[in-house]
Amino acid sequence: MDAMDASYVDDGALREQDGVPLPVFLADKDRTQLTGRGQPFFSGREKEINAFRSMANALLLGRLGNATLVVEGASGAGKSALMAQFQEEMRTLPPSGSGARRWLPVMLDGALAMSPQAIMSVVDEAIAKRLAQDLLSATAADSADREARFHAFLGEGSARKAKQGVKTIAESMLQQGFSVMGFQMSAAPSGPLEDIETVSAKRSHQWNDWQIVLLIDEAQGISPHGPAAVGGTLSSIHQGLVHVPLSFCAFGLPGTAEALSDVGVSRTSIGHDLPLSGLDDRASRMAVRRCFTQYGVAHAQAWELAILKRSANWPQHLATYLHAALTILQTNAPSPEVMGDARRSPLSEAIALGDAGRKAYYGRRLRGMTRDNPLFRDYAADLAEALRGADRPPLESEVTRNIMQRHGVPVEVAADFLRRAKHNGLLETDDEGRCSMPIPSFASHLLGEAARNANGPAAV
């Protein structure tokens, strides 16, 4: 099997995933997503896509697992969009290994990722749904025994169940056929590793037709102390000890790598630990132009510049301002399908609507930081002022010491605040421990400055 080209470059062209009808995009706001088909107007992230392709190459060339990716980023950094794009990548991959296994992305909540039975259940359900989709998409030409297969999978009433769609078929498979794949963990296990190898042995035959990639969301929630946790589950997958075609990508808030280390996953490869921050200028510009091109917005240069300035390359802000712009443009559109000339709509209204959405976003982030300690808002304002006025990026140790001295708190309180600041997009640190702000406009919001812009209202 030939390796994939891992030199992906985003050229800015529209793609199939961008073809979302405008009413759907506006109704779903910034969460519009075609299941497994990428997120509309996804841009940039070449490094991350190429890291995924490198991981896929290892699997295409015959390895069952390993090659773990860890994607960390604050809320709003675009983790969900990247996860959807990984699914789109898998949709286009050729079958892997000598057995020509088909790719199967499986979504899994981080809180369940330490339970072998939870993983098995989620994977079984994903396989059932894929097989159900295969059954429904089969035609008389490519499946002469379609009716017999339906009856074999679904039993009595197969024709009626088939008409009810993928969900009903998948449920019938799990109840009538797939349930024989289940088993209970021993009441007195002899050891976690032996249990995991038993799990692997019992699944190796049933899962061997699939190249399974677990996409673990909220992976910072992984804990070895949960009621169903079995130590070594993920580390055994990561180290290739399980004998099933299974690997995983973990997506979570800053601190996810440490959480994975706590459960035994500590050997990430160089280039596979992916801190996710804002987009670069080029990627932000491509996202706006993709959106306006898709919906037929003409003469939009002023709108593009205003959106790019307000969003500050932050994915969540970019989505907020695009949604606001399309909402205003639609009111003056000549038809539901084409927006027409942007000069006929008031840019100031679009920016004001986007500013309101951005302000609400900052409010949510601040509530996330101050929920357990209202004084954290004062710490946040001090931190924003210090970072913005620093002549060099301060080290995290220096920031911690400053909080302790200025507010008279122990190191545990300062560390808890900094952790929350990272989770909520106020602070990020590089590999050397240098601190910066991933969203510069967050500081203006905290400090209450009315940084006015000629294109609209105050930026706070």
Side-chain angles (χ1 to χ4, degrees), residues 1-248:
M1 182 71 65
D2 294 334
M4 285 184 62
D5 179 11
S7 57
Y8 164 77
V9 175
D10 187 354
D11 62 4
L14 284 173
R15 294 161 297 192
E16 186 177 353
Q17 68 199 59
D18 299 323
V20 178
L22 180 61
V24 175
F25 185 84
L26 291 178
D28 290 347
K29 300 186 184 300
D30 63 340
R31 289 295 178 181
T32 300
Q33 180 178 317
L34 303 179
T35 303
R37 299 305 308 273
Q39 191 157 332
F41 320 124
F42 178 89
S43 288
R45 304 304 193 199
E46 285 97 340
K47 180 182 73 172
E48 291 79 9
I49 296 296
N50 286 323
F52 178 82
R53 290 185 175 186
S54 295
M55 183 195 88
N57 276 336
L59 303 174
L60 280 168
L61 297 174
R63 297 176 66 177
L64 291 176
N66 208 338
T68 303
L69 295 182
V70 180
V71 180
E72 291 186 327
S75 297
K79 297 186 297 295
S80 296
L82 184 60
M83 192 183 307
Q85 202 63 25
F86 282 1
Q87 292 181 67
E88 169 65 5
E89 286 284 310
M90 277 183 270
R91 189 185 68 83
T92 63
L93 286 171
S96 70
S98 57
R101 292 183 294 270
R102 290 191 293 166
W103 292 82
L104 183 71
V106 177
M107 299 292 295
L108 179 68
D109 187 273
L112 302 176
M114 285 305 297
S115 165
Q117 285 183 294
I119 292 176
M120 288 187 302
S121 176
V122 172
V123 173
D124 284 348
E125 183 177 354
I127 292 173
K129 287 181 178 178
R130 178 68 72 84
L131 291 175
Q133 290 168 349
D134 291 347
L135 282 171
L136 287 178
S137 62
T139 64
D142 59 26
S143 181
D145 61 341
R146 185 170 185 258
E147 294 301 322
R149 290 169 61 196
F150 268 123
H151 186 77
F153 272 115
L154 305 179
E156 296 299 325
S158 58
R160 173 179 54 80
K161 294 175 183 176
K163 290 180 180 179
Q164 293 175 344
V166 168
K167 184 177 179 181
T168 298
I169 296 174
E171 288 174 351
S172 296
M173 288 180 180
L174 290 168
Q175 292 169 4
Q176 299 180 32
F178 269 43
S179 62
V180 300
M181 295 166 58
F183 75 99
Q184 297 295 319
M185 297 291 288
S186 170
S190 56
L193 183 58
E194 182 176 336
D195 288 335
I196 293 165
E197 289 183 334
T198 302
V199 172
S200 172
K202 288 180 179 291
R203 280 299 185 270
S204 60
H205 176 69
Q206 290 90 344
W207 288 359
N208 199 52
D209 291 338
W210 307 91
Q211 182 63 62
I212 301 158
V213 180
L214 299 177
L215 299 174
I216 304 175
D217 198 14
E218 303 294 343
Q220 77 281 350
I222 289 173
S223 170
H225 308 300
V230 177
T233 301
L234 285 182
S235 60
S236 290
I237 295 172
H238 173 66
Q239 296 177 36
L241 299 179
V242 296
H243 304 295
V244 293
L246 181 65
S247 57
F248 69 90

Side-chain angles (χ1 to χ4, degrees), residues 414-455:
D416 183 38
F417 164 72
L418 292 179
R419 178 181 61 81
R420 292 171 185 261
K422 291 178 184 178
H423 286 183
N424 288 282
L426 177 62
L427 176 71
E428 67 180 2
T429 55
D430 62 16
D431 292 339
E432 303 299 323
R434 293 184 293 260
C435 296
S436 61
M437 290 182 294
I439 325 175
S441 52
F442 204 161
S444 297
H445 178 85
L446 278 166
L447 299 173
E449 295 180 2
R452 293 192 173 274
N453 181 283
N455 288 321

